[in-house]
Amino acid sequence: MDFKVLGCSGSRFPQAKLTSFLIDEVLALDAGAIVSSLSFKEQMKIKAILLSHSHFDHIKDIFFLADNLIGRNPYPIKIYSISEVIQALKSHAFNNIMWPDFTKIPDTHNPTVSLEVIPEGKKVRIEGFTVEAVRVNHPAPAVGYIISRDRKTIVYSGDTGPTEEIWERVRGVKNLKGLIIETSFPNKHEKLAYLGGHMTPLALKSELDKLWYVDCPVYLYHLKPQYRNDILKDIKRLRNRNIKILKQGRTYRF
Ligand SMILES: [Zn+2]
Ligand SMILES: [Zn+2]
């Protein structure tokens, strides 16, 4: 799997784009930086988008992508998530008030995007990938994703504070090639992290301890740039050689 980092920042600054990844050119994982990172031709290749939750930093580019592709894409782009997220998009976003309802235009039979509910805890096939959504711990309903192709599996935590279910699943995963986990705040802002349903390096360590025999690279994302130096210092103190920081713009091969 070619895993391209379109954005991996926990806050938006001129050089720091929001969370969004592109796998094998066709499957996007969250949508914080699709149109700000991809050419029109690359945007046209996307077939499906998996959303971890409805927070704005993870969904914002679905709106501009729909606006770019209207009348140009032969089939709707399928936007997948759990039912609460899909419902939130219908009620609060594609409602002709906040944004046009691109699920009905140019026409209801062949709209620009379609909203699709993905069941939780069940493997489903999406565009040649096997995908499983697993609930995580965040103030808004949120899931992480276990994604496999060609007997290689990666796990994306989505935004989450300390959680259980997804690690239970990960313990049973064969051919695990990478864990992509959020870490948003430094240890000294543990309280802020807790309130926002996010992780600090210390919380990350406890989470990784739940995976005692899992030995694969751990890529961190969602670092808040305004706390980056403190977070990096805290991570160094963990002395875990598997931990790396995802780099915006880079493609990782799993
Ligand atoms: Zn969030
Ligand atoms: Zn976020």
Side-chain angles (χ1 to χ4, degrees):
M1 279 184 273
D2 280 343
F3 183 91
K4 185 172 185 182
V5 180
L6 307 181
C8 55
S9 173
S11 304
R12 184 73 168 105
F13 285 95
Q15 307 303 329
K17 296 178 188 175
L18 298 171
T19 307
S20 193
F21 311 105
L22 184 64
I23 308 175
D24 293 345
E25 299 187 320
V26 296
L27 181 69
L29 193 49
D30 278 333
I34 293 177
V35 299
S36 50
S37 303
L38 297 177
S39 68
F40 183 56
K41 211 172 146 194
E42 290 168 323
Q43 292 173 31
M44 293 266 286
K45 283 188 188 164
I46 297 174
K47 294 202 167 107
I49 301 171
L50 304 175
L51 295 179
S52 61
H53 64 306
S54 58
H55 278 164
F56 203 65
D57 57 321
H58 296 252
I59 65 167
K60 78 172 180 59
D61 274 14
I62 60 175
F63 308 114
F64 305 109
L65 182 65
D67 191 39
N68 290 353
L69 297 184
I70 185 168
R72 295 297 300 267
N73 55 336
Y75 305 102
I77 289 196
K78 291 185 170 172
I79 298 173
Y80 291 89
S81 196
I82 49 174
S83 59
E84 293 107 309
V85 174
I86 296 299
Q87 198 48 54
L89 290 174
K90 284 181 184 168
S91 312
H92 305 300
F94 291 116
N95 58 7
N96 288 320
I97 298 169
M98 291 301 284
W99 203 242
D101 186 356
F102 283 98
T103 67
K104 293 196 172 70
I105 51 177
D107 69 79
T108 48
H109 299 292
N110 196 21
T112 312
V113 302
S114 71
L115 299 175
E116 313 279 338
V117 171
I118 190 169
E120 273 176 62
K122 230 180 179 181
K123 287 181 181 152
V124 291
R125 293 287 289 173
I126 295 173
E127 305 299 340
F129 298 86
T130 303
V131 174
E132 185 178 349
V134 183
R135 186 71 62 142
V136 291
N137 173 23
H138 201 51
V143 287
Y145 287 100
I146 301 171
I147 301 168
S148 309
R149 184 177 222 179
D150 301 332
R151 294 207 201 120
K152 287 172 182 153
T153 300
I154 57 171
V155 176
Y156 169 57
S157 72
D159 285 11
T160 185
T163 190
E164 298 297 332
E165 199 181 337
I166 194 161
W167 308 136
E168 271 166 38
R169 295 294 162 101
V170 169
R171 288 199 289 263
V173 168
K174 287 176 196 143
N175 304 310
L176 186 64
K177 299 299 174 195
L179 291 167
I180 296 126
I181 305 180
E182 80 121 284
T183 301
S184 300
F185 288 97
N187 293 337
K188 68 177 179 187
H189 287 309
E190 185 189 3
K191 205 172 165 192
L192 286 181
Y194 178 78
L195 286 173
H198 289 297
M199 222 86 89
T200 63
L202 214 53
L204 171 75
K205 186 187 180 300
S206 311
E207 297 304 285
L208 293 177
D209 286 346
K210 296 173 187 173
L211 301 171
W212 65 96
Y213 63 86
V214 172
D215 186 30
C216 75
V218 177
Y219 296 95
L220 305 186
Y221 82 100
H222 213 274
L223 279 71
K224 291 197 170 280
Q226 58 275 47
Y227 299 119
R228 189 178 175 93
N229 289 342
D230 287 333
I231 298 171
L232 293 181
K233 276 183 208 157
D234 291 343
I235 289 167
K236 218 171 174 187
R237 270 186 225 116
L238 297 180
R239 296 178 188 279
N240 182 335
R241 272 196 239 149
N242 280 343
I243 297 177
K244 301 161 200 302
I245 313 290
L246 275 187
K247 286 207 172 79
Q248 180 180 302
R250 198 194 255 192
T251 299
Y252 297 78
R253 180 156 286 177
F254 293 115

